[in-house]
Amino acid sequence: MDCSEVGNFGPLDVADAWHKGIAEFGQPDPISFPAWAEKYFYLSRESSYGEGAWKAWPFQPAIMACMANDDIEEVDVEKSARIGYTKMFLALLCYNAHHRRRNQAVWQPTDDDRDEFVKTELEPALRDVEVMRDVFPEYLSRSKKNTMRQKILLGSMMHMRGGKAAKNYRRISVDVAALDEIDGFDQNIENEGAPFDLAKKRVEGATFPKVIVGSTPKLKGFSHIEARADAAPCQLVYQIPCPHCGELHPITWGARTARHGMK
């Protein structure tokens, strides 16, 4: 009996299943996160002004390199709006799943925020980034492998949770934990601790633990991201060359009487 006689499966179906099965044991050629995004990542129409292939802005590759560097365990991005942070973060989820097969967890401020992120950002990316079909063939189906709370891929898993309830931080063991828009989280999650502390416990025991926090700061003195950025042992600030002297300077706000900065 040949392969074509086994149920409704033909030789091509069996070969495809065999290749997908052994793919988990393969080791892909190393590629950096910025290079992977440049080669594979795609901006979906649902959440982008311009649908098409990813092209990084000048300041983005350094942020992306920090996000994916295994020597950096914690990355805090204190940002303004509209700098493409969500797209960088989304590309990282795809990179970790496709290239590095790492388990990941993402917390949004609320369950509604989680649902919106999954519907408008994550699911379109899993559909439009073609290489993701290699690790997530169920991207169009509704099953226990493809829900709002989790995506079970070949070799890894993505957990998506809202950040209001302490129970959403339990029973998860991952390599990468991410808190998106952390200034929208409570200061203390149901008296069990700060959201960062609860998320960090989820990567304890990982070979390459990583916690990524990003947010636009809100109320001064009560900002999670401001406090974390101020306490960081290393701070990276994007700088541009002065058109007059050529020296590199960060873009800053200047007081009315100051000679420097934006007015």
Side-chain angles (χ1 to χ4, degrees):
M1 182 171 63
D2 60 28
C3 294
S4 62
E5 296 173 335
V6 181
N8 295 322
F9 296 96
L12 293 179
D13 298 310
V14 175
D16 182 59
W18 185 81
H19 282 296
K20 287 179 179 177
I22 65 169
E24 292 192 43
F25 300 98
Q27 184 65 37
D29 293 333
I31 182 173
S32 70
F33 173 34
W36 184 94
E38 193 81 12
K39 184 175 182 180
Y40 297 118
F41 193 55
Y42 190 87
L43 300 175
S44 301
R45 62 182 179 274
E46 289 92 336
S47 57
S48 304
Y49 287 123
E51 180 183 1
W54 165 266
K55 181 68 176 176
W57 293 336
F59 61 86
Q60 290 176 328
I63 300 174
M64 297 167 72
C66 291
M67 286 178 164
N69 190 318
D70 287 336
D71 294 326
I72 303 174
E73 293 190 9
E74 298 177 12
V75 176
D76 305 293
V77 183
E78 184 179 15
K79 64 183 184 66
S80 65
R82 317 309 300 175
I83 68 162
Y85 173 80
T86 299
K87 291 297 181 289
M88 290 186 284
F89 173 62
L90 186 63
L92 178 70
L93 295 178
C94 294
Y95 172 73
N96 281 335
H98 174 258
H99 185 65
R100 305 204 287 191
R101 308 295 173 89
R102 295 188 180 177
N103 295 319
Q104 305 173 86
V106 180
W107 287 270
Q108 299 286 342
T110 67
D111 288 347
D112 287 343
D113 293 325
R114 183 273 315 275
D115 292 350
E116 183 178 0
F117 172 76
V118 172
K119 289 178 181 178
T120 64
E121 299 285 355
L122 181 57
E123 289 184 342
L126 294 174
R127 179 197 67 206
D128 294 337
V129 179
E130 290 191 12
V131 293
M132 293 305 296
R133 300 173 193 178
D134 297 338
V135 295
F136 193 53
E138 290 87 359
Y139 70 100
L140 287 180
S141 64
R142 284 298 173 197
S143 70
K144 64 181 181 179
K145 293 184 178 181
N146 184 15
T147 69
M148 285 289 186
R149 289 173 57 86
Q150 67 181 21
K151 308 291 182 186
I152 302 176
L153 303 95
L154 296 177
S156 70
M157 177 181 288
M158 291 183 190
H159 302 270
M160 284 72 64
R161 299 288 190 270
K164 289 284 187 181
K167 67 179 182 180
N168 286 343
Y169 297 86
R170 301 182 190 129
R171 295 185 294 276
I172 294 176
S173 296
V174 292
D175 305 291
V176 181
L179 296 151
D180 194 19
E181 293 299 341
I182 194 173
D183 272 19
F185 287 64
D186 294 337
Q187 292 291 316
N188 192 316
I189 307 299
E190 296 186 328
N191 294 321
E192 292 196 14
F196 176 85
D197 296 333
L198 297 180
K200 188 175 181 180
K201 288 183 179 295
R202 302 300 96 205
V203 301
E204 290 180 357
T207 304
F208 300 107
K210 172 79 76 172
V211 184
I212 299 173
V213 179
S215 186
T216 302
K218 291 186 176 180
L219 187 61
K220 191 170 183 63
F222 296 90
S223 169
H224 288 293
I225 192 64
E226 182 182 59
R228 291 197 53 77
D230 289 344
C234 177
Q235 295 185 347
L236 304 180
V237 180
Y238 184 66
Q239 301 183 14
I240 62 172
C242 173
H244 303 292
C245 68
E247 291 293 324
L248 292 173
H249 298 275
I251 300 176
T252 61
W253 292 104
R256 182 174 298 178
T257 57
R259 297 184 60 187
H260 71 280
M262 299 177 65
K263 310 297 181 186

